Amino acid sequence: MPSTVVVGGFFGDEGKGKIISYLSKKDNPSIVVRGGAGPNAGHTIKDGNTTYKVRMLPSGFLNKNARVMIGPGVVVNPKVFFKEIEEFGVSDRAFLDRHCGIIEQNHLEQDSKGQLKEKIGSTGSGTGPANAERAMRTLKMAKDVGSLSSYIIDVPSEINTALKNQEKILVEGTQGTHLSLWHGTYPFVTSKDVTASGICADIGLGPKNVNEVLVVFKAYLTRVGTGPMPNELSSDETEQKGWGEFGTVTGRPRRAAEFDFNLASRAIMLNSATQLAITKLDVRFPECAGVKSINDLDNEAKSFIKNIEEKLNVPVTLIGTGPLIDDVIDIRT
Ligand code: IMP
Ligand code: MG
């Protein structure tokens, strides 16, 4: 803080939603703003007994003092936007930029068949086809949709003014570094750059106004959809380790592998990471479930974290130890 950009370091689903919810409660930013591709991204947040599945709004909405915003680089499905506003009760503090692109029925249809579905394993959310149309300069914008008019705000002005006024802003990225259109495993990637630089461009935050870049890694690797993944485990091995997961948006089983230092190191370089978060430590080391202090981790878990810091040379500042928002070890200084 004052401005912290949170991005995924692997193939998405690193647990950004939970980390962002934690930071939005703990650090009390006045704005939580989402960059990234579109409603192809799904974040799961568990607050007590309630589970939220978020695709369109920033995950920071649980902090009632925060305004939540979607930057102009993001494509929006108005149906998903309105559904989440109602479900989360945030109609008085949720906003989007007039230049957000609009996903329509034809984008959903194009995304659910042919090469996007079969070869790339797209999420079918219409995000890629809408971004393609945006590049063609034919996509409808939020300002052209009457029902959105009361939610429109100048997102770049709002966030830059907040920073001038010494307020904190939290920037939420989507997907993960190795799904970036520029830097990922092309063609098995999403339809935008999703590294920190791309996310900042999506919301209108210039590079000199970024204070912290927090790259989130899961304690193991998962990937949903097609495309290469180093040292991929068989589904039996995945099951045995307890690393089997299902996609938030698509419900598809996620493929899994061991934590990968090459991918992690490249993500740190591409994002200029200043801090790392490691999530799901409790899935790897069940003894760590719910632990809130680094001193209470057992030796195996401690050396797993220490090894990451030594090999990657960036401090691990947040560690996820369970599905609840507060299941976090916070070692920021
Ligand atoms: P698309 O972004 O829906 O076109 O999907 C392209 C590729 O990115 C597919 O392999 C998807 O499974 C993957 N993908 C897109 N969004 C996410 C995400 O939020 N988490 C994980 N994988 C994603
Ligand atoms: Mg996800």
Side-chain angles (χ1 to χ4, degrees):
M1 296 283 176
S3 78
T4 300
V5 181
V6 181
V7 292
F10 287 146
F11 296 103
D13 308 316
E14 297 92 353
K16 292 180 293 295
K18 178 248 176 65
I19 292 292
I20 284 161
S21 312
Y22 171 80
L23 290 175
S24 68
K25 282 192 149 177
K26 180 78 182 178
D27 295 355
N28 203 22
S30 62
I31 299 174
V32 186
V33 54
R34 179 159 167 168
N40 51 348
H43 293 161
T44 306
I45 309 164
K46 287 204 169 90
D47 187 21
N49 293 326
T50 316
T51 300
Y52 301 95
K53 289 198 185 291
V54 192
R55 290 175 56 192
M56 205 68 262
L57 293 177
S59 307
F61 64 84
L62 288 173
N63 178 341
K64 295 195 163 53
N65 304 316
R67 291 187 298 160
V68 296
M69 298 182 187
I70 303 173
V74 181
V75 290
V76 168
N77 181 333
K79 272 194 195 136
V80 181
F81 179 77
F82 287 124
K83 178 177 165 280
E84 292 188 1
I85 280 184
E86 197 182 313
E87 199 178 328
F88 310 144
V90 294
S91 114
D92 55 337
R93 57 187 178 93
F95 303 93
L96 78 173
D97 193 87
R98 60 201 280 271
H99 285 160
C100 289
I102 296 298
I103 296 176
E104 297 187 278
Q105 189 57 34
N106 67 315
H107 304 122
L108 293 168
E109 283 159 18
Q110 289 174 58
D111 210 10
S112 307
K113 60 176 191 217
Q115 105 118 12
L116 282 176
K117 183 174 167 63
E118 275 129 44
K119 179 173 173 198
I120 309 300
S122 121
T123 57
S125 59
T127 303
N131 277 323
E133 225 195 280
R134 181 150 192 172
M136 296 302 286
R137 271 58 55 84
T138 51
L139 186 66
K140 199 184 265 183
M141 307 263 101
K143 65 183 168 60
D144 306 320
V145 180
S147 58
L148 288 172
S149 63
S150 60
Y151 296 98
I152 287 179
I153 206 167
D154 182 340
V155 171
S157 290
E158 291 291 328
I159 59 176
N160 284 286
T161 303
L163 287 174
K164 264 203 189 101
N165 295 338
Q166 319 292 331
E167 293 168 24
K168 295 175 186 171
I169 69 160
L170 181 60
V171 181
E172 171 170 338
T174 58
Q175 286 86 26
T177 298
H178 299 284
L179 287 176
S180 161
L181 182 59
W182 303 157
H183 304 291
T185 53
Y186 187 90
F188 306 101
V189 292
T190 192
S191 48
K192 296 266 305 278
D193 176 34
V194 289
T195 61
S197 315
I199 299 296
C200 287
D202 288 341
I203 62 168
L205 181 65
K208 285 173 71 181
N209 289 329
V210 176
N211 298 93
E212 297 288 341
V213 178
L214 176 67
V215 172
V216 183
F217 295 120
K218 193 150 57 181
Y220 46 95
L221 211 57
T222 60
R223 179 164 198 165
V224 65
T226 53
M229 185 167 63
N231 305 310
E232 181 169 355
L233 300 174
S234 70
S235 48
D236 279 354
E237 287 168 315
T238 303
E239 216 45 55
Q240 233 164 33
K241 288 186 182 284
W243 297 354
E245 301 176 0
F246 293 90
T248 306
V249 174
T250 56
R252 292 177 293 186
R254 290 178 185 156
R255 302 147 59 199
E258 184 50 85
F259 188 96
D260 190 281
F261 282 92
N262 293 327
L263 291 177
S265 155
R266 191 154 180 92
I268 285 169
M269 175 185 83
L270 291 169
N271 292 295
S272 64
T274 61
Q275 305 177 31
L276 306 180
I278 305 293
T279 60
K280 301 219 179 184
L281 195 71
D282 58 302
V283 175
R284 251 202 111 112
F285 305 106
E287 309 72 37
C288 301
V291 167
K292 302 273 193 316
S293 154
I294 187 90
N295 301 320
D296 296 339
L297 288 181
D298 68 18
N299 287 338
E300 216 188 341
K302 255 191 212 144
S303 57
F304 178 77
I305 298 290
K306 196 160 160 251
N307 188 35
I308 287 178
E309 284 190 318
E310 281 177 3
K311 280 208 174 121
L312 298 174
N313 215 10
V314 182
V316 172
T317 52
L318 296 168
I319 301 171
T321 55
L324 297 176
I325 292 173
D326 294 327
D327 289 334
V328 170
I329 301 174
D330 188 342
I331 33 187
R332 293 175 294 167
T333 45

